[in-house]
């Protein structure tokens, strides 16, 4: 196979990939409850391939900075992590090879509690923040982090295990939410961030976590987005997971114009290459 023919073949593959991706971008978030076991990593990798998200955010990976190479998923070569030396916490963002994603800036902490990526997805600016809040003082931690990252939060999707039910509907025991949670909700409002699940399912009591110690269900895993982008949030759902004590959440974002534009650019190049070969 000649070089030009190879290039055409690559263009054709890329075109098909881009067309498959558009127009909806699925984002999945899950607390995996540790990834140190090779069997668990294999199962999680299989689950990611099955779900086929454009962006996959994992929390509580328990990987140290030295272990980061252990997480490998075919088809998701871009893997960005914030890990903890003590193998506690840990967050990861995996981005599918099928999309045109370019990272411009990465912020993360040494405790493995959050990672933020600013970049472009199909030539459109996007900021992703993946958070694993500590078990104690979670609402305060999330509120403080939002304040620290305030300047970066624009066209942003924030996901993660926030260890916080935001409303009484988010847990089976319907007690009132405390002062810290009220203050976190106020901060989200001030920053024009919405709880996408609650916005699209105002009356559904969906849960992501079962506490065997308390015998209660709650929704402590969340996906937030900018209120201005509400029309882009096509669908959000809770997906059961059999290898963690948490369920996953999946959001589909409408990136129709950009994805189609990307596909057309590749198609045009492909057509031009084929014409060159014909002559």
């Amino acid at each position: 196979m000649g070089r030009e023919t190879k290039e055409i073949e690559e263009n054709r593959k890329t075109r098909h990939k881009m067309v498959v991706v558009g127009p909806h971008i699925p984002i999945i978030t899950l607390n995996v409850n540790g990834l140190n076991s090779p069997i668990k990593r294999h199962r999680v990798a299989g689950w990611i391939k099955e779900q086929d998200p454009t962006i996959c955010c994992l929390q509580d990976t328990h990987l140290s900075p030295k272990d980061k190479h252990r997480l490998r998923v075919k088809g998701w070569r871009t893997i960005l992590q914030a890990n903890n030396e003590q193998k506690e916490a840990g967050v990861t963002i995996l981005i599918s090879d099928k999309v045109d994603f370019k990272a411009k800036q990465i912020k993360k902490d040494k405790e493995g509690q959050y990672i933020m990526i600013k970049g472009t997805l199909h030539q459109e600016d996007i900021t992703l923040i993946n958070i694993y809040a500590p078990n104690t003082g979670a609402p305060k931690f999330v509120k403080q982090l939002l304040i620290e990252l305030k300047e970066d939060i624009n066209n942003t999707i924030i996901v993660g295990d926030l260890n916080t039910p935001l409303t009484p509907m988010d847990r089976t025991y319907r007690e009132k939410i405390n002062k810290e949670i009220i203050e976190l909700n106020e901060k989200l409002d001030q920053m024009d961030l919405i709880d996408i699940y609650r916005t699209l399912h105002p009356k559904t009591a969906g849960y992501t976590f079962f506490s065997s110690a308390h015998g209660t269900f709650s929704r402590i895993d969340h996906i937030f987005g900018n209120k201005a982008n509400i029309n882009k949030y096509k669908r959000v759902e809770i997906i059961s997971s059999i290898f963690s004590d948490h369920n996953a959440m999946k959001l589909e974002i409408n990136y129709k114009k950009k994805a189609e534009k990307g596909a057309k650019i590749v198609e045009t190049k492909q057509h031009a290459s084929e014409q060159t070969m014909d002559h």
Side-chain angles (χ1 to χ4, degrees):
M1 194 186 277
R3 204 165 111 195
E4 284 184 63
T5 317
K6 269 186 183 174
E7 281 179 19
I8 290 169
E9 190 57 32
E10 282 305 309
N11 279 340
R12 187 178 284 126
K13 283 179 186 173
T14 310
R15 180 185 67 185
H16 289 321
K17 282 182 177 180
M18 293 290 283
V19 172
V20 168
V21 162
H24 306 301
I25 302 289
I27 298 176
I28 282 185
T29 177
L30 173 66
N31 176 320
V32 289
N33 197 20
L35 283 179
N36 278 299
S37 152
I39 295 169
K40 180 82 169 281
R41 285 197 299 277
H42 180 73
R43 290 179 77 187
V44 170
W47 178 80
I48 291 170
K49 288 176 193 173
E50 188 185 311
Q51 294 293 335
D52 196 24
T54 300
I55 297 162
C56 181
C57 298
L58 306 176
Q59 304 88 39
D60 210 15
T61 56
H62 296 178
L63 296 174
S64 72
K66 287 184 292 185
D67 297 330
K68 67 178 185 180
H69 64 279
R70 288 186 176 182
L71 185 60
R72 287 281 176 269
V73 185
K74 192 177 180 183
W76 284 262
R77 272 177 300 184
T78 303
I79 300 179
L80 302 139
Q81 305 181 51
N83 295 324
N84 183 311
E85 291 285 0
Q86 273 70 49
K87 291 194 175 187
E88 295 168 352
V91 288
T92 298
I93 297 176
L94 301 95
I95 297 168
S96 170
D97 299 347
K98 293 179 188 175
V99 287
D100 175 21
F101 179 83
K102 291 180 179 67
K104 293 179 178 177
Q105 184 189 1
I106 298 168
K107 281 186 186 179
K108 57 184 179 178
D109 67 344
K110 288 178 181 177
E111 286 73 42
Q113 305 280 176
Y114 87 90
I115 185 166
M116 182 200 80
I117 307 172
K118 287 176 86 76
T120 57
L121 184 64
H122 294 310
Q123 297 90 46
E124 189 170 320
D125 289 335
I126 187 169
T127 302
L128 298 165
I129 303 173
N130 185 8
I131 303 171
Y132 176 63
N135 289 321
T136 52
K140 212 170 185 177
F141 171 87
V142 176
K143 181 189 161 193
Q144 191 55 43
L145 186 59
L146 290 175
I147 292 167
E148 286 172 24
L149 299 177
K150 190 179 176 183
E151 298 304 313
D152 298 302
I153 296 176
N154 184 26
N155 201 20
T156 304
I157 296 293
I158 301 170
V159 307
D161 175 2
L162 306 189
N163 268 308
T164 306
L166 294 170
T167 70
M169 199 189 286
D170 292 333
R171 52 189 175 195
T172 45
Y173 53 105
R174 293 279 196 268
E175 65 179 59
K176 287 181 183 176
I177 54 173
N178 62 31
K179 182 172 169 278
E180 282 78 16
I181 297 175
I182 291 168
E183 287 176 0
L184 172 56
N185 280 322
E186 285 171 354
K187 180 52 66 183
L188 289 166
D189 281 344
Q190 282 170 21
M191 297 175 76
D192 284 329
L193 291 167
I194 56 170
D195 170 358
I196 300 173
Y197 185 86
R198 184 55 62 226
T199 303
L200 299 186
H201 302 281
K203 294 178 181 178
T204 308
Y207 305 118
T208 60
F209 178 68
F210 174 70
S211 167
S212 50
H214 301 102
T216 55
F217 290 91
S218 57
R219 186 171 67 94
I220 57 175
D221 304 86
H222 300 282
I223 303 179
F224 302 143
N226 296 97
K227 197 181 284 180
N229 292 336
I230 192 163
N231 293 328
K232 282 186 180 178
Y233 309 137
K234 185 175 182 284
R235 184 189 300 131
V236 65
E237 59 185 321
I238 293 169
I239 302 169
S240 61
S241 122
I242 54 169
F243 47 76
S244 174
D245 51 359
H246 286 250
N247 284 332
M249 292 194 75
K250 180 181 181 180
L251 169 69
E252 282 188 30
I253 303 178
N254 194 337
Y255 262 80
K256 194 171 182 179
K257 288 177 186 172
K258 295 294 180 180
E260 283 182 357
K261 190 176 164 190
K264 280 174 186 170
I265 289 166
V266 175
E267 230 170 304
T268 308
K269 284 180 182 172
Q270 150 91 19
H271 186 59
S273 300
E274 283 172 349
Q275 280 187 328
T276 307
M277 284 293 288
D278 290 340
H279 295 302

